[in-house]
Amino acid sequence: MTATAASGGATWIRALRELLLIVLLYLFYSGVRLLADTHVAAAVDRATSLLHLEALVGLDFEGFLNHLTAQATWLGVAMSYWYSSLHYVVTPAVLIWVFWKHRADYPRVRNALILASVIALVGYLLVPMAPPRLMADGYVDVLAQSAQYGWWSDHASAPVGLDGLTNEFAAMPSLHVGWAIWVAWAIASRTGRRGRALAIAYAVGTVIVVIGTGNHWVLDALAGALLMWFSIAVVGALNRRSSRAST
């Protein structure tokens, strides 16, 4: 076996190992969401308190954006497709891209994603919170409204028949937003101006989508973004510490 063939084989073995890790993370993600306490009254009470806090600081614009989205069918359908699919496609695609094109950066990028996801899942398990669409305050469930145009059910973003496999009270923090911030960070420093612009647009668009569809509060989105930046900072600090210790 030549050195090139051996190197190629090692790369594929590592790639398969990383794929297995991501699959296990997804299974853990799904399992924790199902184990979360979904006591409706408690989740609604927490959401009510959160909305009161938003009102105090002037961030309670979910209703305006939600109703604007619901009034335009084309916009509601587009946002529903974005919400139900892009985080499952874009996130692993960027992870694979970093693995193949920026191998030295990959451990830090992967670890930041895993750390933020695990922290969020613990939050879902301990402090379930109702999203706007499950509140009795006039919010519109845009995915339910547009279910006839897609594969999702009228109860969740999962495909029809699988809505029972999702926890509808996993609102705080928003992993949709956290993962979108991760995508922007992973791409922005490793590509050109056009790539950075697209990455930032994806993150901003995701924030608008999760709020406009009635799936997250403004503070859910903010918490998701802060959680990801915290995880990026922690992983970066650990990497620097490890590098100093090895020199």
Side-chain angles (χ1 to χ4, degrees), residues 78-242:
M79 284 193 174
S80 295
Y81 271 101
W82 185 313
Y83 182 86
S84 62
S85 62
L86 286 192
H87 65 298
Y88 288 127
V89 175
V90 176
T91 308
V94 170
L95 194 63
I96 293 169
W97 174 74
V98 174
F99 179 84
W100 287 108
K101 298 295 185 179
H102 303 275
R103 189 71 54 81
D105 296 339
Y106 179 78
R108 180 188 175 194
V109 171
R110 175 203 60 204
N111 292 343
L113 177 65
I114 291 176
L115 178 60
S117 300
V118 170
I119 293 174
L121 292 175
V122 171
Y124 299 157
L125 186 62
L126 299 178
V127 190
M129 182 178 296
R133 63 187 177 83
L134 295 182
M135 302 290 285
D137 293 322
Y139 297 100
V140 179
D141 187 339
V142 174
L143 266 76
Q145 187 182 65
S146 60
Q148 60 180 311
Y149 300 103
W151 60 79
W152 51 88
S153 71
D154 57 359
H155 297 293
S157 60
V160 174
L162 298 179
D163 45 287
L165 297 178
T166 63
N167 172 20
E168 296 192 72
F169 298 100
M172 167 66 83
S174 169
L175 267 184
H176 273 77
V177 172
W179 287 356
I181 294 296
W182 175 87
V183 166
W185 166 71
I187 291 177
S189 60
R190 299 171 180 87
T191 189
R193 182 180 302 175
R194 182 175 299 178
R196 288 194 294 271
L198 287 174
I200 293 171
Y202 173 69
V204 173
T206 298
V207 172
I208 295 172
V209 164
V210 301
I211 297 172
T213 56
N215 281 283
H216 286 284
W217 305 99
V218 172
L219 287 181
D220 292 345
L222 179 60
L226 291 176
L227 171 60
M228 184 53 70
W229 284 121
F230 168 78
S231 299
I232 290 170
V234 167
V235 170
L238 291 175
N239 282 358
R240 289 190 295 272
R241 181 177 178 181
S242 177

